[in-house]
C-alpha cells in the first residue's frame, strides 16, 4: 500500500514538473505575442501620423496651387 502511494506521489511530482515547464512555455509565448501586438500598435500609430502629415501637406499644396491659379494673369 505504501509502495503504491509512493509511486503515485512520484508520478504526481513528475506530472507537476511537466505542467510547470509547459506553463512556463505558454507564458513565454503569450509575452512574445503581447510584444508583437504592441509593435503592431506602434506601427499603426506611426502610419496614422504619417498619413495626417501627408494630408496636411497635400492640403497646403492644393491651397498654394489654387492661389497661383487665381493670381495668374488671364
Amino acid at each position: 500500500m505504501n509502495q503504491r502511494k509512493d509511486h503515485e506521489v512520484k508520478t504526481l511530482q513528475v506530472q507537476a514538473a511537466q505542467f510547470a515547464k509547459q506553463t512556463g512555455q505558454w507564458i513565454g509565448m503569450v509575452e512574445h505575442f503581447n510584444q508583437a501586438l504592441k509593435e503592431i500598435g506602434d506601427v499603426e500609430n506611426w502610419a496614422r501620423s504619417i498619413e495626417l502629415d501627408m494630408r496636411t501637406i497635400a492640403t497646403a499644396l492644393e491651397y498654394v496651387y489654387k492661389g497661383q491659379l487665381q493670381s495668374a494673369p488671364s
Side-chain angles (χ1 to χ4, degrees), residues 31-46:
E31 288 174 351
H32 181 72
F33 181 69
N34 191 35
Q35 183 62 33
L37 286 177
K38 286 180 182 178
E39 290 173 6
I40 289 171
D42 290 345
V43 170
E44 186 177 359
N45 288 335
W46 174 80

Side-chain angles (χ1 to χ4, degrees), residues 1-9:
M1 187 74 162
N2 283 342
Q3 286 180 339
R4 184 173 182 212
K5 287 183 181 182
D6 287 343
H7 178 70
E8 288 176 1
V9 167

Side-chain angles (χ1 to χ4, degrees), residues 42-61:
D42 290 345
V43 170
E44 186 177 359
N45 288 335
W46 174 80
R48 284 184 186 152
S49 177
I50 294 296
E51 181 181 12
L52 180 61
D53 290 347
M54 294 302 292
R55 286 178 192 238
T56 302
I57 291 168
T59 302
L61 289 173

Side-chain angles (χ1 to χ4, degrees), residues 16-36:
Q18 289 173 343
F19 180 71
K21 181 180 177 182
Q22 188 176 28
T23 302
Q25 291 172 341
W26 288 341
I27 290 171
M29 289 173 58
V30 168
E31 288 174 351
H32 181 72
F33 181 69
N34 191 35
Q35 183 62 33

